[in-house]
Amino acid sequence: MSDKNRVIIFDTTMRDGEQSPGASMSLEEKIQIARIFDELGIDIIEAGFPIASPGDFEAVTAISKILKNSIPCGLSRHTKKDIDACKESLSHAKRFRIHTFISTSPLHMKHKLNKSSEEVYESIKEHVTYARKFTDDVEWSCEDGTRTNIDFMCKTVELAINCGAKTINIPDTVGYSVPSEFKKIIETLINKVPNIDKAIISTHCHNDLGLAVANSLAGVSAGARQVECTINGIGERAGNAALEEIVMAMKTRPDLMPFTTGINTKLLSKASKVVSNATGFPVQFNKAIVGKNAFAHESGIHQDGMLKNRNTYEIMTPESVGVKKTSLVMGKHSGRHAFKDKLGDLGYSGLTDDVIQTAFGKFKVLADKKKHIYDEDIVALVDDSLIKEDNVIKLKSLKVFAGTGEPQKADMTMEIYGEIKKATETGDGPVDAIFKCIKKLYPHNVNLQLYQVHAVTEGTDAQATVSVRIEENGKTTVGQAADTDTLVASANAYLNALNKMIIKRKKTAPSDVKSSNKEEQKMRGI
Ligand code: KIV
Ligand code: ZN
C-alpha cells in the first residue's frame, strides 16, 4: 500500500468532544488524555479552542508542551484575536496547526453570521492569510459544508488553498448528509477545484442520523485523506465520528478500503476508558470496538462456534484493540461446551462428567434466577457439587418460618445413610432452628466455632456463601455451601462440615476401631 493511501487521523475529543453538554475535562485529565493520544499514534490533536476560555488556553498551552509525536492544533473563528490566541498557546510546540473556520451555507451566513457570501469570501482571504503568518500548517473549514451550495464551496476551497491552507475540512456540521451525497461532495471538489492537489481534504462528520462513521468512510473512499473524529464518538449532540470505528473499519476491510493509519490499535480500549473516565460519559455496552459487550458472546450457539473457531463470530480479535480476551459470558443461553471451557479457565481439571453435568444443571437453574452469573458463582456451584459427591447426610427439603412474633421454626427432611428422616424444631432465630433439626436427626456432639455469611456477588439476587467451622475432639472441619437462599446455604454448609467430620473420623481412627463411633454405628444400623 502506498503513502497516497495513508489517512491522517485528526482527533477532536478535547475540542468538539468537550463541547458535548456535561463533558468538560480538567487540565490534568486533558494532559493524561494527550499523553495517551500521543502514544496511540494520532497525527493531529485538536487540543481546544484557545480563545474560548482561560482554561482552554491553558490546556492547549500545556498539551503543546508535552506532545512528542502528535501535532497540536487549536481552533479559531475568523478573527485575528482567535488566531493570535492559537498562536500564543501552540507556539511551545516545534510544529503546530491553526484550524480556522467560517460558515458557508446560506442558512448560517444569513442567520448566524449576518454576512453575504462576498463578505464570507473576503473573510477567508484575510484570515487564512493571517494564520499563515504563524505556521505553514493551516487548516480551513467551511462550517455547515454539507448544506452549502457546491459551486460556492468550490470557490471558497480554491481561495483558501491559494491563501495557504494545506488542509481543507468539509464538516457535516449538523449530521445531515448520507454516504452517497457526502462522497459526491468530495468527488466534486477533486474534479472541480483546480488547485485541490495542493491540499489534503478532510472529513468532519457529526452523528445526528447515526451516519458519521459511514459518511467519513465514504469521504475517504472518494479521496479525502484526513478524518476528524473523537474517541468513543463523543461530541456535540449525537457526537462525532468515532475514531476507533473508523480505524478498525479500515483495518478490518482492506479489501474494500485499502487505507492505512498510524494508530496503534492495541491502545484503543485504554484510550476509550481514559476518555470515558475523564468525561464521566459511560460507553454504551454494545458500542462497536470499545463497548463492554463488543467481544462478549452469551448464546450457546455462538459460544460453541467461538470455541471451535473464533472466526465464526469474530471479525477482529479483541487483542487487536487491547481487550485481553473474548469473554464467553455465562448466562441462561450458554451451553455445556462453554460451561466446560469456563471450568477449565477457572482452574478445574479432571472433573468427572457426572460432576460437570450436576454443576451444569445447577448453573442453568441459577441462570434462570439471576441476570449476571459471575465466575465466583460458578466456583461456588462446582465446589458444592464436588463436596456432595461424598456426602452421607443430605438435605432433602427445608421449610423455615421466620419473622416477628412467633418463635422461628424449621421443618426439615434429611437423607441419612440412605434413610429419610424428618424433624421440626424452634430456635432462637431461623438458623438456630435449622441447626437444632440437624442435631435431632443426626445426633452428634460438636462445637460450632464459626458461622459466616458472604454475598458472593452483588445485588439482592446474589448467591450467599455460608461457611461453618465445627470442632470434635480437637479436630476441626470447615463446611461451605452456596445458594441464593441464605438459610438453605446455612443448612448445607453445616451438613458439609458434618460430612467432612465423618470422613475425618474414618480416616483418622485406628483400623480396628473404624466405624466404632457410636452415633454413626447407630445411624448406619450397625
Ligand atoms: O462541526 C463543525 O462544523 C465544526 C467546525 C468548527 C469544524 O466542529
Ligand atoms: Zn464539529
Side-chain angles (χ1 to χ4, degrees):
M1 268 181 249
S2 63
D3 261 354
K4 69 180 179 18
N5 285 340
R6 166 72 155 81
V7 174
I8 295 167
I9 298 295
F10 176 114
D11 179 276
T12 183
T13 302
M14 289 185 275
R15 199 279 297 170
D16 221 345
E18 203 193 27
Q19 284 174 219
S20 334
S24 58
M25 301 166 232
S26 69
L27 177 64
E28 291 67 34
E29 286 163 340
K30 285 188 179 173
I31 290 174
Q32 188 197 10
I33 290 174
R35 287 193 206 280
I36 286 165
F37 283 6
D38 203 21
E39 207 188 331
L40 181 61
I42 287 171
D43 300 290
I44 318 282
I45 297 178
E46 189 165 53
F49 190 177
I51 199 73
S53 71
D56 253 40
F57 186 91
E58 199 186 354
V60 177
T61 306
I63 291 168
S64 67
K65 286 181 184 165
I66 59 159
L67 294 181
K68 295 199 176 83
N69 309 303
S70 312
I71 296 175
C73 170
L75 183 69
S76 70
R77 293 166 298 186
H78 274 196
T79 73
K80 290 191 174 159
K81 65 177 182 14
D82 279 32
I83 296 171
D84 289 341
C86 279
K87 180 228 139 192
E88 275 167 46
S89 54
L90 290 163
S91 53
H92 307 276
K94 255 200 276 156
R95 290 182 302 160
F96 63 87
R97 175 177 293 189
I98 296 177
H99 175 194
T100 187
F101 74 99
I102 192 164
S103 292
T104 50
S105 68
L107 197 75
H108 276 219
M109 289 191 291
K110 180 167 178 211
H111 297 287
K112 193 179 112 172
L113 302 176
N114 194 23
K115 280 190 195 313
S116 66
S117 51
E118 290 74 24
E119 286 171 307
V120 166
Y121 191 80
E122 284 310 311
S123 177
I124 297 168
K125 198 185 292 176
E126 184 183 351
H127 294 98
V128 173
T129 307
Y130 184 69
R132 265 306 300 261
K133 285 185 182 198
F134 307 116
T135 174
D136 62 2
D137 191 351
V138 171
E139 171 172 330
W140 178 74
S141 288
C142 45
E143 192 187 2
D144 205 17
T146 53
R147 293 192 295 174
T148 295
N149 171 288
I150 189 72
D151 292 331
F152 183 57
M153 188 194 279
C154 288
K155 263 179 74 183
T156 57
V157 167
E158 185 181 353
L159 173 67
I161 297 173
N162 276 338
C163 296
K166 292 274 169 56
T167 303
I168 297 294
N169 184 39
I170 310 299
D172 183 21
T173 303
V174 287
Y176 179 68
S177 203
V178 299
S180 54
E181 181 189 55
F182 196 73
K183 185 167 189 245
K184 200 153 167 226
I185 293 172
I186 305 297
E187 283 169 350
T188 307
L189 290 176
I190 291 173
N191 292 330
K192 289 208 172 149
V193 176
N195 55 0
I196 198 72
D197 58 320
K198 308 264 179 318
I200 285 171
I201 303 177
S202 167
T203 68
H204 178 110
C205 299
H206 279 267
N207 205 31
D208 299 66
L209 292 175
L211 293 170
V213 169
N215 287 339
S216 307
L217 293 172
V220 172
S221 296
R225 286 296 174 270
Q226 174 177 288
V227 175
E228 299 198 357
C229 43
T230 60
I231 288 285
N232 298 338
I234 64 167
E236 289 264 1
R237 305 179 311 279
N240 289 58
L243 184 152
E244 62 279 5
E245 293 178 22
I246 305 246
V247 169
M248 289 313 290
M250 295 193 287
K251 191 172 164 146
T252 308
R253 296 305 306 271
D255 53 329
L256 296 178
M257 295 177 285
F259 309 112
T260 57
T261 68
I263 298 295
N264 173 1
T265 60
K266 292 199 167 130
L267 293 176
L268 285 173
S269 168
K270 181 174 171 192
S272 161
K273 288 197 176 79
V274 170
V275 169
S276 170
N277 288 341
T279 54
F281 279 22
V283 177
Q284 77 196 55
F285 283 10
N286 60 330
K287 167 83 181 60
I289 319 296
V290 291
K292 184 172 178 278
N293 289 352
F295 296 96
H297 308 266
E298 194 199 301
S299 95
I301 295 170
H302 288 210
Q303 292 183 339
D304 186 53
M306 282 292 299
L307 290 165
K308 288 173 176 152
N309 183 327
R310 292 162 76 137
N311 294 332
T312 51
Y313 290 101
E314 255 174 23
I315 57 165
M316 63 193 119
T317 64
E319 294 84 356
S320 68
V321 299
V323 172
K324 286 228 172 56
K325 195 175 168 307
T326 299
S327 71
L328 296 188
V329 178
M330 301 310 292
K332 66 176 181 181
H333 302 114
S334 302
R336 200 173 179 280
H337 189 170
F339 183 73
K340 203 170 162 187
D341 189 72
K342 181 68 158 183
L343 296 183
D345 282 355
L346 293 172
Y348 291 98
S349 58
L351 293 179
T352 62
D353 278 354
D354 278 359
V355 172
I356 295 174
Q357 196 49 46
T358 312
F360 182 61
K362 287 183 190 168
F363 156 74
K364 281 284 186 180
V365 173
L366 183 66
D368 259 341
K369 292 192 217 160
K370 279 192 84 197
K371 224 200 246 148
H372 303 290
I373 304 281
Y374 298 90
D375 286 357
E376 295 85 337
D377 286 320
I378 295 174
V379 169
L381 282 176
V382 180
D383 284 352
D384 207 33
S385 309
L386 278 173
I387 286 159
K388 291 237 175 83
E389 283 246 291
D390 291 317
N391 283 356
V392 288
I393 309 175
K394 294 174 193 153
L395 178 70
K396 296 307 274 183
S397 72
L398 174 67
K399 275 208 169 55
V400 179
F401 305 88
T404 54
E406 302 297 306
Q408 288 75 29
K409 190 170 82 166
D411 267 358
M412 188 180 264
T413 307
M414 292 193 338
E415 183 185 320
I416 303 168
Y417 290 105
E419 202 181 325
I420 302 293
K421 297 185 170 220
K422 291 175 194 277
T424 300
E425 285 290 323
T426 55
D428 192 5
V431 176
D432 189 46
I434 290 168
F435 288 4
K436 278 185 177 161
C437 277
I438 296 174
K439 205 159 188 171
K440 189 167 180 190
L441 295 173
Y442 178 77
H444 58 281
N445 203 2
V446 301
N447 299 316
L448 178 65
Q449 290 189 327
L450 174 98
Y451 167 77
Q452 222 169 38
V453 183
H454 328 261
V456 178
T457 49
E458 307 151 21
T460 50
D461 63 349
Q463 278 206 99
T465 291
V466 176
S467 305
V468 165
R469 188 169 66 226
I470 55 173
E471 182 271 333
E472 184 189 69
N473 299 329
K475 294 185 190 74
T476 57
T477 54
V478 177
Q480 272 186 341
D483 201 286
T484 46
D485 184 324
T486 314
L487 296 174
V488 173
S490 300
N492 278 327
Y494 192 97
L495 291 178
N496 180 232
L498 266 184
N499 278 304
K500 284 182 179 170
M501 189 60 86
I502 292 167
I503 293 165
K504 220 171 200 174
R505 278 181 204 150
K506 277 196 269 175
K507 282 191 180 156
T508 53
S511 54
D512 58 328
V513 288
K514 272 188 186 170
S515 297
S516 67
N517 180 293
K518 278 193 192 124
E519 286 140 11
E520 204 184 325
Q521 284 180 353
K522 206 169 118 204
M523 302 309 304
R524 302 175 85 177
I526 300 170

